[in-house]
Amino acid sequence: MTLRHACCFLVIVTGCTRPKPAAPTGPNVVTITATEYAFGAPDTIPAGLTTLRMLNPGREPHQAFLAGGQGKSFAELEAAMMKEGPLPEWLTIPIGAGVVVSGDSSIVTANLPPGNYLILCFIPSPDGTPHVAKGMSRRIVVTAAPAGAVAAPEPKADVTITLNDYSFTTSTPLTAGTHTIRVENSGPQLHELTIERLAPGKTVADFRQWVASGMRGTPPVASVGGFAGLDKGKVGWLTITLTPGNYLLNCYVPDAKDGKPHFVHGMVQQITIS
Ligand SMILES: [Cu+2]
């Protein structure tokens, strides 16, 4: 064997035995920090199964959801998200941390397709202005996963909540403690899962009455977290710790047809956690 041949041989052998890229043991973890009125986040993240760790060191409650659309520019996304009424048909929200109160945090997981996204917060300030109008919008690019990348295993869930037009279906009653909830949107449109604690003595009827009165005065509910936005046919995971009490499962997404929040169409359900 000549030296040249030996080299080729070595190259071939090395090529054959090069280990395959190791399968990730879990989702890619991305930290988003929400304050008044801005997000701290990376500019670019890879596509694939992603966990958003949302921290709120601010004073007001915040949310953080990713809004995109296939082939859409940042300018197109920004113009669409500042408009009121029904959301554009092309809009996609693959992941989002529901309302997180001051000093709290949230963990949500979902598969992120590549594209341009805005990280957004629509929670209103005490003056009624949604945070997005105060500048709470940040661009983030999700880049395509490298060829041959191995998908991370899905989180293990102990309960499934299915979102429908216009209801929630829970596979097994929620109990006190920490749960990873598998959230499935069976469509036919975008929905969300917001978990709200009812104030002592209050019921879903008080919530409806509060809405009917223009949401004035002390709200009968306080959000404890949720999965903000989930495209139809998609699945996400919400890890949350719940304490005993009366709660609402709620959806505030504006309807695709009339622009009214989904709870107006009946997508609000009272549950008791013990
Ligand atoms: Cu909904």
Side-chain angles (χ1 to χ4, degrees):
M1 193 186 279
T2 66
L3 189 59
R4 193 168 172 269
H5 280 125
C7 285
C8 288
F9 179 73
L10 275 176
V11 167
I12 290 160
V13 168
T14 318
C16 288
T17 56
R18 185 180 296 152
K20 281 186 188 152
T25 51
N28 181 38
V29 179
V30 175
T31 300
I32 294 180
T33 309
T35 51
E36 291 74 37
Y37 295 98
F39 288 111
D43 294 324
T44 303
I45 56 173
L49 199 67
T50 305
T51 292
L52 286 192
R53 225 176 107 242
M54 207 280 245
L55 312 176
N56 180 1
R59 295 181 308 273
E60 294 182 30
H62 294 291
Q63 64 179 180
F65 65 89
L66 265 64
Q70 215 183 359
K72 297 292 172 191
S73 69
F74 281 120
E76 286 171 304
L77 292 174
E78 281 153 359
M81 295 318 289
M82 289 303 291
K83 260 199 222 136
E84 296 210 347
L87 298 168
E89 216 161 282
W90 48 258
L91 186 87
T92 142
I93 301 182
I95 195 166
V99 182
V100 177
V101 295
S102 171
D104 207 353
S105 63
S106 174
I107 293 171
V108 288
T109 301
N111 191 50
L112 281 189
N116 295 329
Y117 293 89
L118 299 177
I119 307 172
L120 294 161
C121 177
F122 274 39
I123 305 296
S125 275
D127 68 4
T129 311
H131 290 176
V132 63
K134 292 172 180 275
M136 226 170 157
S137 169
R138 187 188 165 97
R139 297 174 173 190
I140 188 166
V141 177
V142 177
T143 55
V150 185
E154 292 185 348
K156 281 198 176 71
D158 58 322
V159 51
T160 298
I161 295 182
T162 309
L163 318 178
N164 318 282
D165 268 22
Y166 297 97
S167 64
F168 298 94
T169 312
T170 306
S171 66
T172 167
L174 280 172
T175 54
T178 300
H179 298 277
T180 293
I181 301 169
R182 182 183 164 96
V183 186
E184 289 183 9
N185 183 354
S186 68
Q189 59 176 312
L190 188 89
H191 291 295
E192 67 175 2
L193 168 67
T194 296
I195 304 179
E196 299 173 319
R197 197 184 171 90
L198 280 160
K202 300 293 182 184
T203 68
V204 67
D206 294 293
F207 171 78
R208 289 208 178 92
Q209 205 172 5
W210 176 70
V211 169
S213 72
M215 294 187 170
R216 279 191 208 97
T218 310
V221 288
S223 175
V224 296
F227 196 104
L230 183 58
D231 294 320
K232 60 182 173 187
K234 299 293 186 203
V235 55
W237 292 266
L238 165 69
T239 302
I240 191 166
T241 301
L242 298 165
T243 55
N246 292 321
Y247 291 81
L248 297 183
L249 306 180
N250 212 336
C251 180
Y252 286 75
V253 170
D255 190 67
K257 287 191 200 87
D258 62 19
K260 289 181 184 159
H262 284 170
F263 60 72
V264 171
H265 291 279
M267 200 166 175
V268 54
Q269 187 190 333
Q270 184 172 339
I271 59 166
T272 298
I273 290 172
S274 50

